[in-house]
């Protein structure tokens, strides 16, 4: 197992390194297989130092899942440009590395198996899903308004749910069997599907 060399770091940086080490171990060994000792080894610190930052493994896992969800939402929020460009980039980002890769799907599978039985993870999942869907809903609202077809919040919400489901399905396909698709093929399929749903071209 790859071990990082020890170095002195500020509190915030050290905590983030431990979260990343937690994600590495969960991706490799699963939630149950990722022990505090393995996480400490991966981070290049002692198990005692890990306990200085986290009260328990459950807390580490929860913070790690929160970090995964936040990273996806932040990527979506950071798209720039005109409404059509922002919507297209949002879709493309979520079907490209590092969002769509083998590590991401391993983490998703590990966490999603616990969401229904762990109330803390379930709440993190709910918050993350709503933040992600709301970001997509806002992008859709801006896009439709720019096309001269302003729509109600309920309309945009329903289409955000549909497009989110579409992207999720293609994301899983790409993560699990990326070698079966041509470069950019899943993104192209997603764009064409969104255009079909909305009845509008994403390109001018």
């Amino acid at each position: 197992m790859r071990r990082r060399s020890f170095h002195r770091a500020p509190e915030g940086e050290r905590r983030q390194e431990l979260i990343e080490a937690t994600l590495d171990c969960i991706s490799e060994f699963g939630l149950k297989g990722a022990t505090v000792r393995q996480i400490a080894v991966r981070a290049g610190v002692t198990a005692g130092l890990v306990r200085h930052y986290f009260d328990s493994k459950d807390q580490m896992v929860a913070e790690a899942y929160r970090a995964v969800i936040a990273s996806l939402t932040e990527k979506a929020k950071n798209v720039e440009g005109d409404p059509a460009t922002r919507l297209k980039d949002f879709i493309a980002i979520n079907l490209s590395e590092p969002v769509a890769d083998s590590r991401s799907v391993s983490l998703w599978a590990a966490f999603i198996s616990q969401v229904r039985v762990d109330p803390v993870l379930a709440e993190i999942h709910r918050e993350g899903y709503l933040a992600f869907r709301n970001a997509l809903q806002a992008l859709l609202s801006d896009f439709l308004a720019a096309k001269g077809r302003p729509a109600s919040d309920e309309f945009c919400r329903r289409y955000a749910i549909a497009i989110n489901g579409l992207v999720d399905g293609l994301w899983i396909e790409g993560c699990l069997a990326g070698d079966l698709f041509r470069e950019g093929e899943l993104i192209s399929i997603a764009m064409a599907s969104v255009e079909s749903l909305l009845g509008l071209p994403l390109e001018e």
Side-chain angles (χ1 to χ4, degrees):
M1 180 170 63
R2 178 176 56 84
R3 176 173 185 162
R4 297 171 184 161
S5 58
F6 176 81
H7 66 283
R8 297 191 180 278
E11 291 268 324
E13 181 181 334
R14 176 66 73 199
R15 186 180 179 86
Q16 185 57 40
E17 288 176 348
L18 288 170
I19 289 173
E20 286 300 318
T22 302
L23 291 173
D24 285 344
C25 289
I26 291 171
S27 175
E28 188 171 343
F29 305 111
L31 278 176
K32 291 184 178 179
T35 65
V36 172
R37 180 180 178 279
Q38 286 171 330
I39 293 166
V41 169
R42 181 64 59 96
V45 300
T46 64
L49 187 61
V50 172
R51 295 188 184 92
H52 170 74
Y53 288 94
F54 298 98
D55 294 334
S56 65
K57 179 185 169 182
D58 286 346
Q59 185 189 22
M60 295 174 70
V61 167
E63 289 302 312
Y65 191 38
R66 197 184 305 279
V68 169
I69 296 295
S71 69
L72 299 179
T73 306
E74 284 305 309
K75 287 182 175 66
K77 287 180 179 178
N78 289 334
V79 292
E80 298 178 346
D82 60 76
T85 298
R86 295 202 306 273
L87 181 57
K88 288 186 297 182
D89 286 352
F90 177 93
I91 295 167
I93 284 170
N94 286 288
L95 294 173
S96 306
E97 293 183 355
V99 176
D101 60 14
S102 58
R103 180 177 186 267
S104 293
V105 79
S106 292
L107 289 171
W108 174 81
F111 285 117
I112 209 68
S113 67
Q114 294 299 306
V115 163
R116 290 184 61 82
V117 297
D118 186 317
V120 174
L121 294 184
E123 183 59 26
I124 293 170
H125 181 81
R126 175 183 172 83
E127 291 174 358
Y129 168 76
L130 288 175
F132 190 83
R133 195 187 75 194
N134 289 342
L136 176 54
Q137 182 176 332
L139 290 172
L140 286 169
S141 180
D142 290 346
F143 171 73
L144 291 170
K147 291 286 188 179
R149 278 183 43 183
S152 67
D153 287 344
E154 179 60 19
F155 179 93
C156 293
R157 174 184 172 275
R158 288 174 63 85
Y159 277 85
I161 292 170
I163 293 170
N164 182 59
L166 165 72
V167 171
D168 273 356
L170 292 174
W171 176 82
I172 292 173
E173 293 286 338
C175 289
L176 293 178
D179 61 311
L180 298 181
F181 308 103
R182 294 185 292 275
E183 184 176 355
E185 184 174 17
L186 295 182
I187 294 174
S188 176
I189 291 170
M191 299 295 183
S193 299
V194 171
E195 288 180 336
S196 180
L197 278 169
L198 299 176
L200 287 169
L202 294 179
E203 301 286 354
E204 292 297 337

